């Protein structure tokens, strides 16, 4: 599934440094606004300990992890919705992503310029969020007049959309995001076509200094962001982009683990971030496993077996017959596919089966 999260924030908050760590792409991370102009897109492998265990048990010729795309979007300034800086272009880039990773600078550093001259995380969040709201309001206002005219002609589809616009417009005018509105499933289909920025799920990332990472949870700025995220009913992750960049520069997994242990961290910020993005977008992982290849596949929670099969190839969905399924927990417990089968833990599932996280599946199809 081609899903992507856009990394946004004010200039010089550490977006490109984080992106470097995520993708090892070596994107320029300079101490001046707009070091990033064109959005940089990088793909990162998603760490999953279950994939490693399946590989140990199956011993395939190759192992393929699932991946996720991150887009480094240039810094947004106050007035971006009116074209300030490179505003309109940046906002257009955000429209193309599935989720927003909002990086907020928590550290003071006289060698790294802050666009407002001082660090104030909540004001930084407000600046970005307001620009996204204003951009959405401008988009809604443009559509409002045309759809209102069509609705008056008793066009049912236009009347339905106009009712939705009437629902959204006052919320944006009051300074709140479209994400705060409850929509029916039927309304969601129309809202999706509006390409609103503030309907996208948001993760807040507090970027702390390298020497703050151990006591990050006790920092006043971090607590402020955490409280704000809780009010918004979303998630936040604490990361030191510099630390993540150092970890990414290590070649061996053992070295990385030793580095994390020295910092008193159980896992990298990148792992935390990707897990949080997955949760936010309602994603899970299933596996296919054979001697030729063990592979992880990303799917949306709630998908039925034919849809999940279609992620591999459209023919799998079109000609779906059934799927042979075992759970990762059973393979881990019994040690081999055959022993799982002998213990009656192999299941044959049909078209109505809702795929579960950690399922190991073999699809049967005919086209």
């Amino acid at each position: 599934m081609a899903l992507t999260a856009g990394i946004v924030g004010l200039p010089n908050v550490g977006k490109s440094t984080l992106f470097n760590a995520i993708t090892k792409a070596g994107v320029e991370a300079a101490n001046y606004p707009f070091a990033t102009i064109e959005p940089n897109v990088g793909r990162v492998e998603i760490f999953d300990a279950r994939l490693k265990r399946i590989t140990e048990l199956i011993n395939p010729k190759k192992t393929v992890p699932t991946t996720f795309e991150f887009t480094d979007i240039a810094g947004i300034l106050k007035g971006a919705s009116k074209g300030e800086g490179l505003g309109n272009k940046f906002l257009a880039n955000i429209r193309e992503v599935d989720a927003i990773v909002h990086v907020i600078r928590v550290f003071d550093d006289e060698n790294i310029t802050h666009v407002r001259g001082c660090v104030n995380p909540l004001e930084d969040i407000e600046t970005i969020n307001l620009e996204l709201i204003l951009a959405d309001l401008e988009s809604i206002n443009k559509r409002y007049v045309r759809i209102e005219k069509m609705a008056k002609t008793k066009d049912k589809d236009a009347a339905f959309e106009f009712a939705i616009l009437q629902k959204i417009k006052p919320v944006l005018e009051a300074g709140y995001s479209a994400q705060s509105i409850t929509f029916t499933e039927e309304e969601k289909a129309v809202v999706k076509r509006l390409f609103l920025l503030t309907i996208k799920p948001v993760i807040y990332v507090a970027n702390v200094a390298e020497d703050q990472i151990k006591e990050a949870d006790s920092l006043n700025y971090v607590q402020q962001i955490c409280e704000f995220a809780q009010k918004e009913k979303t998630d936040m992750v604490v990361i030191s982009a510099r630390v993540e960049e150092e970890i990414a520069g290590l070649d061996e997994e053992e070295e990385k683990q030793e580095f994390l242990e020295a910092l008193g961290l159980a896992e990298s910020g990148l792992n935390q971030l990707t897990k949080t993005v997955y949760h936010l977008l309602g994603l899970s992982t299933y596996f296919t496993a054979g001697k030729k290849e063990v592979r992880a596949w990303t799917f949306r929670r709630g998908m039925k077996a034919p849809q999940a099969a279609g992620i591999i190839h459209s023919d799998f969905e079109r000609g779906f017959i059934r799927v042979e399924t075992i759970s990762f927990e059973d393979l881990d417990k019994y040690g081999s596919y055959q022993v799982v089968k002998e213990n009656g833990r192999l299941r044959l599932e049909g078209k109505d089966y809702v795929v579960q996280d950690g399922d190991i599946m073999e699809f049967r199809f005919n086209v």
Side-chain angles (χ1 to χ4, degrees):
M1 297 177 71
L3 295 170
T4 183
I7 304 174
V8 307
L10 291 173
N12 295 344
V13 296
K15 302 183 314 304
S16 292
T17 302
L18 176 59
F19 184 81
N20 288 350
I22 287 171
T23 64
K24 301 181 185 177
V27 173
E28 182 180 15
N31 178 28
Y32 53 88
F34 311 125
T36 304
I37 297 176
E38 293 298 328
N40 302 292
V41 180
R43 184 172 293 174
V44 61
E45 294 181 354
I46 305 300
F47 174 78
D48 194 322
R50 297 173 300 181
L51 185 65
K52 183 179 179 182
R53 175 61 174 158
I54 296 169
T55 297
E56 290 171 352
L57 295 172
I58 301 294
N59 192 27
K61 290 182 179 178
K62 68 175 181 176
T63 299
V64 183
T66 189
T67 60
F68 195 87
E69 286 188 353
F70 285 90
T71 302
D72 180 26
I73 297 170
I76 300 172
L77 288 177
K78 185 176 182 179
S81 59
K82 300 298 181 184
E84 289 295 323
L86 298 174
N88 291 330
K89 191 171 185 179
F90 300 166
L91 295 171
N93 292 332
I94 299 171
R95 293 190 194 282
E96 297 173 8
V97 303
D98 299 287
I100 294 173
V101 175
H102 186 165
V103 180
I104 305 107
R105 177 173 164 179
V106 173
F107 62 90
D108 290 300
D109 189 331
E110 62 183 18
N111 296 314
I112 301 178
T113 307
H114 191 287
V115 290
R116 276 205 319 273
C118 64
V119 174
N120 189 321
L122 293 186
E123 284 191 21
D124 290 357
I125 291 173
E126 185 180 344
T127 296
I128 298 293
N129 288 352
L130 182 58
E131 292 306 319
L132 300 183
I133 289 168
L134 291 173
D136 277 352
L137 184 57
E138 183 179 4
S139 177
I140 290 294
N141 284 338
K142 285 179 180 177
R143 194 164 182 82
Y144 195 93
V145 176
R146 184 167 66 86
I147 299 302
E148 183 180 23
K149 288 179 181 177
M150 293 172 64
K152 288 178 179 177
T153 66
K154 298 184 179 179
D155 181 319
K156 289 185 179 179
D157 290 339
F160 185 67
E161 181 178 340
F162 185 62
I164 294 171
L165 295 178
Q166 287 180 303
K167 193 174 183 178
I168 297 171
K169 192 174 186 292
V171 173
L172 296 175
E173 288 175 334
Y176 297 101
S177 72
Q179 186 75 252
S180 65
I181 306 169
T182 301
F183 295 104
T184 65
E185 289 303 314
E186 194 176 3
E187 287 173 333
K188 285 178 183 177
V190 175
V191 172
K192 187 176 181 180
R193 298 197 298 269
L194 297 176
F195 297 103
L196 299 176
L197 300 172
T198 63
I199 202 67
K200 297 179 185 295
V202 178
I203 298 169
Y204 292 102
V205 174
N207 182 20
V208 303
E210 190 170 352
D211 59 0
Q212 294 176 316
I213 193 67
K214 285 185 180 180
E215 68 277 353
D217 290 343
S218 65
L219 297 176
N220 184 44
Y221 284 155
V222 170
Q223 290 173 356
Q224 288 177 14
I225 297 169
C226 183
E227 290 172 8
F228 182 87
Q230 288 174 350
K231 288 178 184 177
E232 294 283 300
K233 297 180 180 178
T234 190
D235 296 310
M236 70 92 67
V237 176
V238 179
I239 280 179
S240 170
R242 288 295 180 195
V243 167
E244 296 304 313
E245 196 171 37
E246 288 182 51
I247 294 171
L250 300 174
D251 295 325
E252 301 296 329
E253 285 301 319
E254 192 174 313
E255 285 183 292
K256 293 179 181 181
Q257 195 56 46
E258 287 176 359
F259 187 85
L260 287 169
E261 288 174 4
L263 291 173
L265 302 175
E267 62 179 340
S268 71
L270 172 57
N271 284 350
Q272 294 177 53
L273 179 58
T274 50
K275 285 178 184 177
T276 306
V277 172
Y278 254 51
H279 175 264
L280 197 68
L281 290 175
L283 304 178
S284 291
T285 304
Y286 75 82
F287 305 93
T288 52
K291 285 298 182 182
K292 287 185 178 179
E293 177 185 274
V294 166
R295 183 186 287 256
W297 303 87
T298 298
F299 71 99
R300 287 194 184 277
R301 287 195 293 273
M303 266 190 175
K304 293 186 177 180
Q307 293 173 289
I311 293 169
I312 299 175
H313 196 286
S314 58
D315 284 351
F316 281 34
E317 181 174 7
R318 187 159 54 90
F320 180 89
I321 299 172
R322 67 178 185 273
V323 60
E324 294 183 1
T325 307
I326 65 173
S327 70
F328 166 77
E329 287 76 15
D330 283 340
L331 181 63
D332 185 40
K333 176 182 177 180
Y334 293 109
S336 78
Y337 194 91
Q338 183 60 35
V339 178
V340 170
K341 187 175 180 180
E342 289 170 0
N343 280 271
R345 302 297 294 173
L346 172 69
R347 293 172 284 117
L348 295 179
E349 303 288 1
K351 293 181 178 180
D352 291 330
Y353 176 65
V354 178
V355 180
Q356 301 299 304
D357 183 53
D359 276 351
I360 303 171
M361 312 179 82
E362 185 175 352
F363 297 100
R364 302 297 184 191
F365 67 101
N366 183 32
V367 290

